[in-house]
Amino acid sequence: MKQFEANFDGLVGPTHNYAGLSFGNVASSQNATAPSNPKAAALQGLKKAKALADLGLVQGIIAPQERPDVYTLRQLGFSGTDAQVLEKAAKTSPQWLQACASASSMWTANAATVSPSADTSDGKVHFTPANLVDKFHRSIEADTTSRILQAMFYDKRHFKHHAPLPMHANLGDEGAANHTRLCQQYDESGVEIFVYGQSALNPSMPKPQKYPARQTLEASQAIARLHGVDDDCSVFIQQNPQVIDQGVFHNDVIAVGNQNVLLFHEQAFFDREAKLQELQNKFDGELHLIKVPSSKVSVADAVKTYLFNTQIVTLPSGEMAIIAPTDCEEHVGVKAYLDELVELGTPIKQVLYFDVKQSMQNGGGPACLRLRVAMNEQELNAVNSQVLLNDERYQILTKWVERHYRDRLLPQDLADPQLLMETRTALDELTHILKLGSIYPFQR
Ligand SMILES: N=C(N)NCCC[C@H](NC(=O)CCC(=O)O)C(=O)O
């Protein structure tokens, strides 16, 4: 039977802006208040997605969320018409307005954790939307994410949707950004690597000192239980707290895997050797563990260029390619490492560079922008086909962005009631294009 690993990229929303909302994410802090270009951001993302579809990969799209989120602002006591809610929030508490206007759902690696059917006890593909509790602006994504995923993967014979974990810091969950699955073939049972930043309940385990550890061990364990991924198929690894303190706020900023390849920085993991041994013991067959030493690429350069926030994809030929941001190509040392990597004799044979700078300036590289779902042919046939990217849908979405998106946005523009109207008009049209039904609050 055919098997696939589909990538579902987040379509960047019309309010994409730089608000400095993510303490611990260096790019987000550094670019706070810079003008953004939502149109360019969405087109950059679509271009990358289309290029992967053109390489013969299965590529889908995940719709953005309704922002500004006036419903949350109302919960915070801002009242009146929608325009008045925006105006009052802007006047007295611009931080709340910014948090409620972020287009952060574009980083769909944080949308959910997904376990393919070959790994789960009931033979279904399992989804748990991430609660993202560590950052307020992201914690308001989970409900709509749930609805969107259920509209895409609606067939209950194949897909099982869980509720997000309870909204508490002890169960902080950041989704697939801290989850990597290794396997021989996508439809064969693999080993799921759950990487966490700290344990909420065991005070003797190390913690970062400066920046937050967003994912807890307890959240990762709960997800493995919910998905029915047993001990033989899972490894729980703690992120090195020292790299979190250097800006590695998710594991996908310091490690990336695909099939039998794991590319990671030597400082990525705590208790590294024992954990890699456990991984090797549980993995059936040859495993390529590619360790990048600090002498070749420092943690700071990894954070700056997002060398590890690359996508490793398997091409129809069976060879693997790395999908990297142009920021890697522009950095002499990182470019030299990537040139060397394709000659190492591992399955990775080529590097393709993409400009996703609008997203990078908020700390989101190519891997942040996609949610991976490994499926067999039957499961893929059960996906809402309108969300899959082909030539026609790419053209339609490109025109949709060009028609509805602004090319410049500053934090003060977020209170413009016209922006809310533009967004709702655009999203209403999008739900028809992608056949998602009434997923947004304004449509209900
Ligand atoms: N590594 C992965 N998978 N995802 C990247 C997420 C970036 C996102 N940035 C933001 O939310 C910044 C928003 C702002 O500052 O305007 C975050 O920190 O959660």
Side-chain angles (χ1 to χ4, degrees):
M1 189 145 55
K2 287 195 186 149
Q3 33 99 37
F4 312 85
E5 184 173 79
N7 287 293
F8 291 87
D9 278 43
L11 183 51
V12 179
T15 62
H16 160 66
N17 74 96
Y18 302 116
L21 299 171
S22 283
F23 178 63
N25 167 346
V26 181
S28 155
S29 302
Q30 279 174 351
N31 292 304
T33 75
S36 65
N37 184 337
K39 186 179 281 183
L43 294 176
Q44 286 173 355
L46 276 172
K47 247 194 202 154
K48 175 195 63 107
K50 178 61 163 54
L52 267 68
D54 289 345
L55 287 170
L57 302 171
V58 180
Q59 179 69 55
I61 292 295
I62 298 187
Q65 305 216 348
E66 180 189 346
R67 295 290 182 269
D69 176 350
V70 288
Y71 318 96
T72 298
L73 289 170
R74 286 179 191 282
Q75 276 185 293
L76 301 181
F78 301 105
S79 58
T81 61
D82 286 346
Q84 286 166 338
V85 166
L86 296 173
E87 191 194 329
K88 287 177 188 171
K91 223 178 241 160
T92 62
S93 319
Q95 300 90 331
W96 286 124
L97 175 60
Q98 286 173 1
C100 290
S102 176
S104 52
S105 67
M106 65 200 270
W107 298 295
T108 52
N110 305 117
T113 306
V114 184
S115 296
S117 57
D119 296 353
T120 62
S121 51
D122 63 358
K124 293 185 185 186
V125 184
H126 283 241
F127 297 81
T128 300
N131 62 21
L132 301 172
V133 284
D134 186 64
K135 298 282 177 269
F136 178 79
H137 70 289
R138 305 222 56 185
S139 69
I140 56 177
E141 294 172 23
D143 285 347
T144 302
T145 300
S146 256
R147 277 199 294 280
I148 295 176
L149 290 175
Q150 291 186 48
M152 295 167 65
F153 303 94
Y154 57 83
D155 190 331
K156 292 191 167 58
R157 284 172 305 171
H158 297 292
F159 306 117
K160 170 87 184 155
H161 295 271
H162 301 276
L165 295 181
M167 291 275 179
H168 188 275
N170 283 2
L171 290 166
D173 173 26
E174 297 282 318
N178 286 325
H179 176 256
T180 309
R181 174 179 187 255
L182 301 182
C183 60
Q184 292 292 357
Q185 298 296 325
Y186 294 121
D187 62 348
E188 292 172 5
S189 156
V191 180
E192 299 199 10
I193 308 174
F194 293 86
V195 183
Y196 58 95
Q198 65 174 337
S199 165
L201 301 180
N202 181 350
S204 68
M205 290 173 75
K207 290 186 196 318
Q209 301 301 309
K210 186 172 164 200
Y211 291 145
R214 298 195 198 185
Q215 179 91 27
T216 68
L217 167 62
E218 292 75 9
S220 298
Q221 288 168 331
I223 292 196
R225 268 193 302 273
L226 284 165
H227 292 194
V229 177
D230 68 27
D231 285 352
D232 296 343
C233 286
S234 51
V235 178
F236 294 85
I237 306 184
Q238 180 166 12
Q239 232 184 313
N240 176 357
Q242 288 169 7
V243 299
I244 296 180
D245 280 341
Q246 291 174 69
V248 181
F249 56 98
H250 287 137
N251 178 60
D252 69 3
V253 176
I254 199 84
V256 53
N258 175 53
Q259 288 190 320
N260 61 353
V261 172
L262 182 67
L263 175 73
F264 58 98
H265 192 275
E266 71 169 335
Q267 292 185 53
F269 306 124
F270 183 71
D271 200 15
R272 185 189 67 212
E273 288 313 306
K275 286 296 167 184
L276 293 180
Q277 189 57 54
E278 183 184 342
L279 177 62
Q280 189 86 69
N281 296 344
K282 290 181 177 175
F283 191 82
D284 198 12
E286 188 191 16
L287 193 54
H288 298 271
L289 296 173
I290 311 172
K291 182 170 70 185
V292 182
S294 305
S295 56
K296 292 229 157 98
V297 179
S298 66
V299 173
D301 284 344
V303 171
K304 195 162 135 205
T305 63
Y306 268 32
L307 164 63
F308 298 93
N309 202 261
T310 44
Q311 296 174 249
I312 306 179
V313 296
T314 303
L315 303 173
S317 65
E319 287 185 356
M320 295 189 193
I322 286 209
I323 308 299
T326 43
D327 307 66
C328 289
E329 193 177 23
E330 290 155 8
H331 187 283
V332 177
V334 170
K335 168 77 166 57
Y337 177 76
L338 283 167
D339 289 346
E340 195 185 306
L341 174 64
V342 294
E343 304 293 336
L344 285 183
T346 75
I348 302 173
K349 299 295 181 206
Q350 55 171 307
V351 188
L352 300 167
Y353 296 98
F354 291 88
D355 177 359
V356 287
K357 283 192 191 293
Q358 284 288 321
S359 169
M360 285 287 286
Q361 283 168 199
N362 247 341
C368 298
L369 285 163
R370 63 90 169 94
L371 182 67
R372 299 194 271 191
V373 185
M375 287 177 281
N376 61 36
E377 200 167 14
Q378 263 186 334
E379 290 157 355
L380 180 60
N381 287 336
V383 175
N384 170 354
S385 61
Q386 299 300 308
V387 301
L388 298 175
L389 203 61
N390 55 22
D391 287 342
E392 190 196 351
R393 215 150 291 127
Y394 174 71
Q395 296 300 339
I396 292 173
L397 289 171
T398 299
K399 289 200 181 107
W400 172 84
V401 170
E402 281 164 352
R403 216 168 34 247
H404 293 289
Y405 281 49
R406 297 188 184 185
D407 57 13
R408 184 177 161 88
L409 212 54
L410 284 162
Q412 55 266 34
D413 298 325
L414 301 174
D416 179 359
Q418 192 56 40
L419 180 67
L420 178 64
M421 293 322 295
E422 287 165 22
T423 300
R424 287 182 176 164
T425 306
L427 294 184
D428 198 45
E429 206 178 303
L430 185 68
T431 51
H432 294 286
I433 298 172
L434 302 179
K435 292 216 172 22
L436 294 173
S438 301
I439 49 170
Y440 296 114
F442 77 91
Q443 296 175 312
R444 303 173 135 222

